[in-house]
Amino acid sequence: MMKHRSGSCRNRERVKRYAGAEQIDTIIRKVKEQERTEQQIRRYDRSYGTR
């Protein structure tokens, strides 16, 4: 697991150099927001038995 994470960090740093750190940080922030939203929807669905 740690080997995978360290590889991911290196890849992320390499992408930041080419794409720009600000753009990458924005993408990561948006993905995390989307994941939180989806988690809230799943939690709501379980509570009310929908879907």
Side-chain angles (χ1 to χ4, degrees):
M1 184 78 169
M2 289 306 263
K3 183 178 180 182
H4 175 70
R5 284 191 175 189
S6 65
S8 292
C9 289
R10 282 194 302 268
N11 289 339
R12 189 178 314 137
E13 292 304 316
R14 188 170 56 231
V15 170
K16 280 183 177 185
R17 282 196 302 271
Y18 291 104
E22 189 173 320
Q23 287 178 311
I24 300 303
D25 290 342
T26 299
I27 292 168
I28 291 170
R29 181 177 39 78
K30 287 181 179 182
V31 168
K32 286 181 179 181
E33 288 173 7
Q34 181 67 30
E35 288 172 346
R36 277 193 300 270
T37 300
E38 290 172 358
Q39 184 179 24
Q40 289 172 342
I41 290 169
R42 284 192 302 273
R43 201 175 302 136
Y44 176 85
D45 288 349
R46 279 194 302 266
S47 296
Y48 294 98
T50 58
R51 287 191 186 186

